[in-house]
Amino acid sequence: MRAYGARLAAHLRPGDLLVLSGPLGAGKTTLVQGIAEGLKVRGPITSPTFVIARVHPSLRQGPPLVHVDAYRLGGDLEVDDLDLDASLEESVTVVEWGEGLVEGLADDRLEIHIDREGGDEARVVTLRGVGPRWADTPSDPLQD
């Protein structure tokens, strides 16, 4: 998942919203760690479950990474309280457990669902691009 995230980071730009879903232990945070490595942002990248959101500034003049864990959020009002839309245009924003909560933040988003298959190591990643930003993106932009 980390290597996949690093490769995915090469396709990301400021203003991108990624919404991650999948069961506990599927690899959402590990994917974000890879994205952070690819974007070259300050770490460490850990699950923001209890702090809800962390901003990781770029180490090379790229976009900052906003990493959000919406697992404990109770609804739209709590998402609004985070004021994510204030930094959305200049950041890459990744929201774990954001399905059904953050879609209203942007017309464009990349929805990423991760499932475990078979054992602890195998993962199935399903990408769904929404909006003009992702209109020409294949179901997996990392497969050439």
Side-chain angles (χ1 to χ4, degrees):
M1 290 310 303
R2 187 172 296 195
Y4 188 86
R7 290 192 322 268
L8 178 61
H11 299 272
L12 301 177
R13 61 185 189 211
D16 283 346
L17 172 64
L18 283 66
V19 182
L20 308 185
S21 63
L24 282 171
K28 294 179 291 295
T29 300
T30 304
L31 177 72
V32 179
Q33 290 169 342
I35 291 170
E37 289 172 17
L39 291 176
K40 306 289 188 242
V41 299
R42 189 178 330 145
I45 307 301
T46 58
S47 178
T49 299
F50 295 101
V51 295
I52 310 297
R54 287 194 175 104
V55 178
H56 299 276
S58 177
L59 297 172
R60 61 171 182 141
Q61 307 297 4
L65 172 66
V66 177
H67 182 199
V68 181
D69 187 327
Y71 184 76
R72 296 188 177 277
L73 297 181
D76 294 342
L77 291 177
E78 290 184 21
V79 171
D80 287 345
D81 287 345
L82 293 176
D83 207 19
L84 295 174
D85 53 347
S87 63
L88 195 64
E89 288 188 23
E90 66 265 3
S91 303
V92 171
T93 303
V94 182
V95 184
E96 296 185 39
W97 302 100
E99 192 173 36
L101 290 172
V102 299
E103 289 86 354
L105 289 174
D107 292 334
D108 301 298
R109 66 185 173 278
L110 184 60
E111 297 174 350
I112 304 173
H113 183 80
I114 306 168
D115 262 321
R116 290 187 293 196
E117 183 177 272
D120 286 337
E121 297 300 317
R123 300 292 191 266
V124 175
V125 179
T126 306
L127 303 178
R128 179 177 175 260
V130 176
R133 158 73 172 103
W134 300 102
D136 295 329
T137 302
S139 61
D140 187 347
L142 304 184
Q143 290 184 350
D144 295 50

